[in-house]
Structure formats: structure tokens, C-alpha cells
């Protein structure tokens, strides 16, 4: 019996196409178990989209979790040598709460990570692979690149003093929208500065991961609004869009 890709489901064909794309780019497949020690997620709560994690006690007494994220596991185990760039791609299931159904969902996720010596060339490669990944799906798409440069551009546009910026960034890391709206860190500051930052972040769909210095998510969307992700760890972004006027 002759095997044909045409006999596969669309998501299966997409998986094969993306694997070929990533391996041709020098990425190795990362294999991981379904469980991870809960302490990893407890120590990196601000990195996760939700602090709600499915946990259980293993037979040896360890508190384990069904993984809600792949990036943390790769970052924990990958040990690049000085000057080395590690390129991994993964196709894993993650377990996250759904805001719509208020239940946990099993989500199939595919993406890539670059760790170690990451410079401009690696940044460009990651963005290019994100675009090529979307092109493989055969639908119209838009690629949005999130980065701290958006916030710094907003701070510049609002005239936020340098000594006030760390306080605002800390509140963003804590996802503390209430305190952000109340923010008036210096007497001359715009009284609605915190509110403008909150509205800007909501518009740009940023979250606490935006404030992680070593992790920038590339949010890739098809025209139907369904998110597709390709992830990497850059030092510098492509030129960000100019923030809106206050």
C-alpha cells in the first residue's frame, strides 16, 4: 500500500510540513515527559498565562504537574556551551484552563526555541520561520511581534521619567492592573499614566511574559483570529511599531 500525505488530516499534514521546515533550519526535536515537578511552575508563576495547574502527588511523594508550558522545561534542561546556539522544536500537549468553559483543556502546541548565543541573525531566522510556519497552513495570516520596545516607546511618548519606569515595569510583571491605574510615581507625572499603560497593553495583547527579559513570544494569527505560536528568545527585536499618541 502506497503512503500519501493527501490521506492525512489537515493538522497531520501541517505537523509533517512544520517538522520538515524546522529540521531543515537546523532545529532538533525536543522530547519531554508529560509531567514536570510542580516547583518549576511555582517558581516561575509570572511566566505562565495562568497560575492554575493540574497537580498530583507521585508514588515517591513528589508533587508533579501536568505541564502547562513547554518553554520552561526546555530552558531548565538545555545547557548551551559558551557561544553555542541551541535550536529546538517541539510538538507537545499542554494543559491550561479555559476562560470560556472554566475547565482545563488539553492543547496540542508546536513551536521552536533558541537558547544560548542569540544575536541578530538568530532573531531574523526565528521571525522568518514564524512567517514560513504560517504560510504552510495555507490561510491568510498576520504575524505580530511583541517586545519591550513597545512599552519603552510608550514611556517615551508619555514623557515618563527614567526613575519612574522601574516601578511601572514591576507592576506589569505582577499583572497588577489596579495599582497601574493608580500609578502616579512623581508629582509631575500624567495622573492617568497607569491607565494609559494598562489600555495600551490590553490593545497590544501583552501579558507578564512581555516583561521577561529572556523571552519574547511571537504571536502568529491567521485571519480567522485563531492563534498560532512560534517562540524564541531574542536579545533585540525587529523595529517595533510606533505606540499610539496619549
Amino acid at each position: 500500500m502506497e503512503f500519501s500525505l493527501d490521506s492525512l488530516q489537515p493538522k497531520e499534514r501541517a505537523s509533517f510540513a512544520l517538522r520538515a521546515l524546522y529540521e531543515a533550519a537546523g532545529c532538533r526535536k525536543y522530547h519531554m515527559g508529560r509531567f514536570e515537578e510542580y516547583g518549576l511552575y511555582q517558581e516561575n508563576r509570572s511566566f505562565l498565562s495562568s497560575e492554575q495547574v493540574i497537580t498530583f502527588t507521585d508514588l515517591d511523594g513528589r508533587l508533579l504537574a501536568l505541564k502547562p508550558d513547554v518553554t520552561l522545561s526546555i530552558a531548565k534542561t538545555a545547557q548551551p556551551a559558551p557561544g553555542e546556539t541551541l535550536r529546538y522544536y517541539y510538538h507537545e500537549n499542554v494543559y491550561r484552563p479555559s476562560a470560556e468553559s472554566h475547565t482545563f483543556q488539553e492543547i496540542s502546541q508546536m513551536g521552536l526555541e533558541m537558547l544560548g548565543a542569540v544575536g541578530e541573525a538568530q532573531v531574523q531566522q526565528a521571525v522568518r520561520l514564524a512567517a514560513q510556519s504560517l504560510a504552510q497552513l495555507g490561510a491568510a495570516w498576520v504575524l505580530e511581534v511583541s517586545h519591550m520596545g513597545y512599552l519603552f516607546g510608550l514611556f517615551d511618548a508619555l514623557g515618563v521619567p527614567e526613575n519612574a519606569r522601574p516601578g511601572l515595569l514591576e507592576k506589569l510583571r505582577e499583572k497588577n492592573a489596579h495599582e497601574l491605574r493608580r500609578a502616579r510615581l512623581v508629582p509631575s507625572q500624567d495622573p492617568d499614566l497607569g491607565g494609559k499603560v494598562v489600555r495600551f497593553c490590553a490593545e497590544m495583547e501583552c501579558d507578564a511574559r512581555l516583561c521577561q527579559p529572556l523571552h519574547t513570544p511571537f504571536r502568529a494569527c491567521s485571519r480567522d483570529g485563531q492563534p498560532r505560536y512560534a517562540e524564541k528568545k531574542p536579545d533585540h527585536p525587529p523595529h517595533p511599531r510606533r505606540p499610539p499618541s496619549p
Side-chain angles (χ1 to χ4, degrees):
M1 178 178 174
E2 185 178 348
F3 175 76
S4 172
L5 289 177
D6 295 333
S7 64
L8 299 176
Q9 295 292 325
K11 64 180 180 180
E12 293 174 322
R13 290 198 298 271
S15 175
F16 276 110
L18 293 179
R19 285 182 59 180
L21 174 65
Y22 299 154
E23 290 183 4
C27 302
R28 293 182 294 165
K29 192 172 193 305
Y30 183 87
H31 298 276
M32 64 177 294
R34 182 172 298 179
F35 311 135
E36 186 69 78
E37 291 199 22
Y38 175 67
L40 175 66
Y41 305 120
Q42 190 176 34
E43 294 168 3
N44 296 277
R45 290 190 299 271
S46 63
F47 182 86
L48 301 174
S49 57
S50 171
E51 293 186 12
Q52 293 179 295
V53 179
I54 300 175
T55 61
F56 65 95
T57 302
D58 202 359
L59 297 179
D60 60 2
R62 292 182 302 156
L63 184 61
L64 300 182
L66 288 174
K67 60 180 184 292
D69 177 82
V70 178
T71 298
L72 287 172
S73 297
I74 296 178
K76 183 188 75 169
T77 58
Q79 298 295 326
E84 179 187 19
T85 302
L86 296 180
R87 296 173 175 84
Y88 292 109
Y89 75 92
Y90 61 86
H91 190 187
E92 299 284 344
N93 290 337
V94 295
Y95 304 86
R96 296 174 180 170
S98 168
E100 290 76 22
S101 65
H102 301 289
T103 60
F104 279 93
Q105 292 184 328
E106 183 179 36
I107 303 168
S108 179
Q109 186 180 69
M110 194 167 190
L112 63 91
E113 301 284 345
M114 293 187 183
L115 305 97
V118 177
E120 187 65 27
Q122 289 76 24
V123 170
Q124 292 176 7
Q125 182 187 30
V127 176
R128 184 170 60 252
L129 286 171
Q132 291 172 339
S133 298
L134 287 170
Q136 293 285 351
L137 302 179
W141 52 272
V142 174
L143 178 65
E144 297 177 1
V145 182
S146 301
H147 193 268
M148 283 291 288
Y150 289 122
L151 283 177
F152 292 151
L154 176 66
F155 290 166
D156 291 340
L158 294 176
V160 180
E162 290 293 335
N163 62 351
R165 298 185 183 196
L168 288 174
L169 291 175
E170 185 61 30
K171 289 178 175 59
L172 278 171
R173 291 189 181 97
E174 296 170 353
K175 305 181 188 179
N176 196 333
H178 176 69
E179 288 298 322
L180 270 171
R181 291 190 178 95
R182 295 179 55 194
R184 185 178 173 86
L185 304 180
V186 293
S188 61
Q189 195 169 293
D190 183 343
D192 191 35
L193 171 62
K196 290 177 179 176
V197 172
V198 171
R199 290 192 294 274
F200 175 75
C201 290
E203 180 182 345
M204 299 306 296
E205 298 179 320
C206 79
D207 55 25
R209 289 177 296 179
L210 186 67
C211 301
Q212 296 290 337
L214 296 179
H215 179 80
T216 297
F218 283 91
R219 183 177 186 275
C221 294
S222 59
R223 288 292 186 184
D224 62 4
Q226 297 301 312
R228 310 285 187 266
Y229 290 92
E231 299 181 346
K232 59 104 183 169
K233 288 179 167 54
D235 289 330
H236 302 288
H239 297 295
R241 288 181 291 182
R242 184 178 181 85
S245 299

